[in-house]
Amino acid sequence: MAEITRKELILALIAAGDHPRLMGVDLSGLDLSGLALHRANLARANLSGANLIMANLFGANLKGANLKGANLTRADLEGAYLAGANLTGAILVDAILTEANLTDAILDGADLTRTVLDDVKGYRATPD
């Protein structure tokens, strides 16, 4: 269960300005849909089971983050740093990962339907 509520997170984001630091924070299971988390530092954060539908994670640092089972449908992850992130079973339908770094990311069972993967580092599509 998450350490903080959606309301508390939104208030913290407002106070944080352009580059919120949420390293290692437990945000598991929270509804973070539509939030502006661009350029946020979410390294090693627990986002397992979180609702990140249409979240703006442009340029976010998600190194080593736990996104297991997270719903990232239509999320903007352009330029995001996802090296070593756990995306097992994550839903990335229609997500944008252009120029993201997926080096050593775990994508077992992730739904990448219509995901934009242009110029992604560290990702190799498996043949059908």
Side-chain angles (χ1 to χ4, degrees):
M1 199 61 178
E3 294 178 355
I4 62 176
T5 66
R6 178 183 170 95
K7 181 179 177 181
E8 291 167 335
L9 177 61
I10 291 170
L11 292 174
L13 290 173
I14 291 168
D18 290 340
H19 305 288
R21 292 181 294 186
L22 300 164
M23 296 180 305
V25 174
D26 183 1
L27 302 170
S28 59
L30 272 184
D31 178 6
L32 306 174
S33 59
L35 287 185
L37 297 166
H38 53 281
R39 302 201 193 292
N41 187 345
L42 290 154
R44 298 178 315 279
N46 182 2
L47 294 154
S48 61
N51 176 358
L52 289 154
I53 294 172
M54 295 183 67
N56 181 349
L57 292 155
F58 177 92
N61 179 359
L62 291 150
K63 181 180 180 180
N66 181 3
L67 292 148
K68 186 175 182 178
N71 189 341
L72 292 143
T73 299
R74 295 190 315 260
D76 183 355
L77 291 147
E78 183 175 347
Y81 189 67
L82 291 147
N86 183 354
L87 292 151
T88 301
I91 302 167
L92 292 147
V93 175
D94 294 319
I96 300 169
L97 274 84
T98 301
E99 297 181 1
N101 185 329
L102 292 171
T103 303
D104 297 325
I106 302 165
L107 293 159
D108 297 337
D111 186 347
L112 299 172
T113 305
R114 294 183 308 277
T115 301
V116 179
L117 295 162
D118 298 334
D119 300 317
V120 171
K121 182 178 180 181
Y123 173 75
R124 287 192 184 92
T126 54
D128 294 330

